[in-house]
Amino acid sequence: MKRYITLTISLFFIAFAAFAQRTATSFDVDGIKVIFKPTVKNVISVRVFYRGGVANYPADKAGIEDIALEAAGQCGTQKYSADVFRDRTDKFGVVISGESDYDYGDITLDCVSKYFNESWDLLTEAVTRPVFDEGEVEQLKSKAIARIRQSESDPDDHIRQLAIANAFAGTPYATDPKGTEEAVNKLTAAGLKSYYSSILNKNQMFIVVAGNISKDELISKVRASFGSLPSRPYTPVTYDPPLWNDYKVLTEKRDLQTNYINGVMNAPPVNSADFFAYRLGISVLSGELFGELRTRLHLSYDPGAETVNQLMPFAIMSVSTSSPKEAVRAMTEALNLERNSRVTPEGLTELKSSYITSYFMKEQSSSAITGSLGEAEVLGGWETAENLPDLVNKVTAEQISGAINKYIAGLRWAYLGNADQANEAEGAFSKKVR
């Protein structure tokens, strides 16, 4: 009974928070797009987005945007040295950070509304007048290289990079946005400054804000801070995603206690009519993998599947196992079951409810709201994130089956682990889904 009461109270607050948030809108302020979601929250989040991601630079500059945006928020500005900047963020409890991924980069501000004016001043400085101090940049490069080495030594991180590199070979996604040790070592403070200037363009940028402020106040601040930024022609990047209708495996030998396997599959674009049906279908697949590989066959501790929302989207299955041949066979059978069965009406209701509840739980922070709206805007339109519950509720069991069968026709496998066991599993990797 106590557990039930706790769950009920939790869902009440989730629902209350959802209703307390108002509708998002978008508008133009002196040539820069602003997406605004007023809320009752006293934590305000502001994200300045830069479109393009890995399409903005060549492979030998991998990591340049990630470090440039991180440096903008940490290496000092024309008004504040790096030490003074950090002292002010500590004084007002402000978090300013910058990073980049495959399709976009951002500089993010999270602060309490009481110190919004002081926090906005720091964000304005970071975005418009960063200085890229050489000493500070060298420290950031050292940290970036440490993260790269850590990621390469982490089997879960490394197998994912192998899977993406195999699936997207010959495309910009073959470049890791976090960079390589060799590429990051060659970056200079002057190069980062020049690169940042190239993406500081109102037509390439947009701003997302969530929190307890007024639209008039926001417009006034954006106009004063960013109205005079450069405005150059910019065409958002579009891709022709690769279609995987055959089966290939990329193997890397590494002595590990277990073997790591990823399988990458085609997926519809986020703004496609098939997207939410497909995504719900992948949720079903993830449950099937867990039930088969962990519960029934005891082949893997934490198998699963997820959809990755990008301009070139994909879905990915992942397992770690000491029996790769049997695990790959079971993964393929789970796909076959998914392609040849249909969700029951009761199952569909439960699936939608779980998905929407999970969405609202993730959207409880201002930062999560700006992140979701901004990512959706890059991938086709912020309205997708705003209308997600309605879009999910419209999905039918027939649409789920249709989307899974339409997009899953081949696989790009990646394997990290024992070479002999990889050879034994060779036939399983080429087994076709049916």
Side-chain angles (χ1 to χ4, degrees):
M1 176 60 80
K2 182 178 179 182
R3 185 177 177 184
Y4 173 77
I5 293 172
T6 302
L7 176 62
T8 302
I9 292 173
S10 299
L11 291 176
F12 168 78
F13 280 110
I14 291 168
F16 176 79
F19 282 113
Q21 294 167 184
R22 300 159 199 160
T23 305
T25 58
S26 69
F27 43 88
D28 180 284
V29 179
D30 290 353
I32 187 165
K33 184 171 185 176
V34 178
I35 300 165
F36 175 43
K37 181 146 186 171
T39 74
V40 296
K41 302 177 190 301
N42 284 321
V43 174
I44 299 174
S45 177
V46 182
R47 286 182 192 258
V48 179
F49 282 83
Y50 304 76
R51 298 177 188 268
V54 292
N56 290 334
Y57 50 85
D60 64 352
K61 298 291 185 185
I64 189 170
E65 184 167 293
D66 192 59
I67 298 179
L69 295 178
E70 185 180 11
Q74 294 193 25
C75 294
T77 72
Q78 293 177 19
K79 185 176 177 181
Y80 303 117
S81 69
D83 287 339
V84 173
F85 193 92
R86 283 191 283 267
D87 287 345
R88 290 184 70 80
T89 58
D90 290 344
K91 179 179 180 180
F92 299 115
V94 183
V95 177
I96 293 181
S97 60
E99 63 178 345
S100 181
D101 213 318
Y102 287 94
D103 297 322
Y104 63 86
D106 62 22
I107 295 178
T108 303
L109 160 71
D110 292 306
C111 68
V112 294
S113 56
K114 179 180 180 180
Y115 297 119
F116 185 51
N117 289 334
E118 294 85 350
S119 305
W120 183 271
D121 172 55
L122 292 170
L123 176 70
T124 301
E125 282 292 308
V127 171
T128 63
R129 289 181 284 274
V131 294
F132 298 95
D133 177 85
E134 286 191 15
E136 296 287 340
V137 165
E138 288 304 312
Q139 289 186 38
L140 284 188
K141 286 172 57 180
S142 296
K143 292 178 182 176
I145 289 170
R147 290 195 296 266
I148 290 168
R149 290 174 178 171
Q150 183 178 11
S151 177
E152 289 177 348
S153 65
D154 183 322
D156 284 315
D157 285 354
H158 190 57
I159 186 65
R160 193 176 184 93
Q161 274 309 123
L162 281 180
I164 294 173
N166 185 31
F168 293 98
T171 79
Y173 279 16
T175 299
D176 185 344
K178 301 304 177 186
T180 63
E181 186 169 343
E182 180 182 7
V184 170
N185 260 323
K186 293 178 181 176
L187 296 176
T188 64
L192 292 174
K193 183 176 181 180
S194 175
Y195 177 80
Y196 182 74
S197 297
S198 73
I199 60 172
L200 191 64
N201 174 10
K202 283 196 285 191
N203 293 318
Q204 191 171 355
M205 301 163 61
F206 66 92
I207 301 170
V208 186
V209 181
N212 189 12
I213 58 172
S214 72
K215 181 179 178 180
D216 289 343
E217 181 185 9
L218 176 59
I219 290 174
S220 175
K221 285 186 177 300
V222 171
R223 176 167 291 134
S225 297
F226 306 127
S228 61
L229 287 178
S231 178
R232 299 183 294 272
Y234 175 76
T235 303
V237 62
T238 58
Y239 291 115
D240 187 12
L243 295 176
W244 306 304
N245 51 18
D246 56 359
Y247 301 82
K248 292 183 179 178
V249 58
L250 177 65
T251 300
E252 182 174 305
K253 179 184 176 183
R254 184 178 289 189
D255 292 329
L256 299 166
Q257 290 186 336
T258 188
N259 306 289
Y260 292 78
I261 301 168
N262 278 186
V264 172
M265 303 163 282
N266 295 304
V270 171
N271 58 357
S272 161
D274 295 327
F275 176 72
F276 284 106
Y278 181 87
R279 187 156 181 174
L280 290 177
I282 293 300
S283 294
V284 175
L285 173 64
S286 188
E288 183 67 27
L289 289 171
F290 191 89
E292 280 295 294
L293 277 86
R294 172 167 170 159
T295 306
R296 194 176 75 83
L297 300 174
H298 309 296
L299 290 171
S300 180
Y301 178 72
D302 190 24
E306 63 175 314
T307 307
V308 180
N309 304 334
Q310 297 183 156
L311 287 172
M312 288 195 282
F314 61 94
I316 188 166
M317 298 185 290
S318 58
V319 302
S320 58
T321 180
S322 57
S323 305
K325 181 178 178 180
E326 291 77 8
V328 172
R329 282 178 172 170
M331 293 165 80
T332 302
E333 282 306 308
L335 275 175
N336 290 333
L337 180 64
E338 176 80 357
R339 283 167 56 89
N340 294 285
S341 59
R342 186 159 296 183
V343 181
T344 64
E346 296 78 13
L348 183 59
T349 300
E350 185 176 340
L351 185 64
K352 291 178 180 178
S353 176
S354 174
Y355 191 96
I356 293 171
T357 300
S358 175
Y359 169 76
F360 279 130
M361 291 183 71
K362 291 177 182 174
E363 294 294 299
Q364 291 187 74
S365 74
S366 298
S367 185
I369 292 171
T370 56
S372 295
L373 289 169
E375 180 181 273
E377 171 67 13
V378 170
L379 301 181
W382 57 267
E383 295 87 350
T384 301
E386 183 74 355
N387 300 324
L388 184 144
D390 290 339
L391 295 169
V392 169
N393 272 324
K394 291 178 181 175
V395 172
T396 67
E398 291 74 19
Q399 289 172 329
I400 293 175
S401 178
I404 291 295
N405 278 278
K406 179 178 178 180
Y407 290 95
I408 298 178
L411 284 158
R412 288 293 179 271
W413 294 100
Y415 176 95
L416 179 68
N418 183 280
D420 291 337
Q421 288 185 300
N423 292 333
E424 292 173 5
E426 185 176 351
F429 282 121
S430 59
K431 187 76 172 178
K432 296 181 179 180
V433 295
R434 51 181 166 76

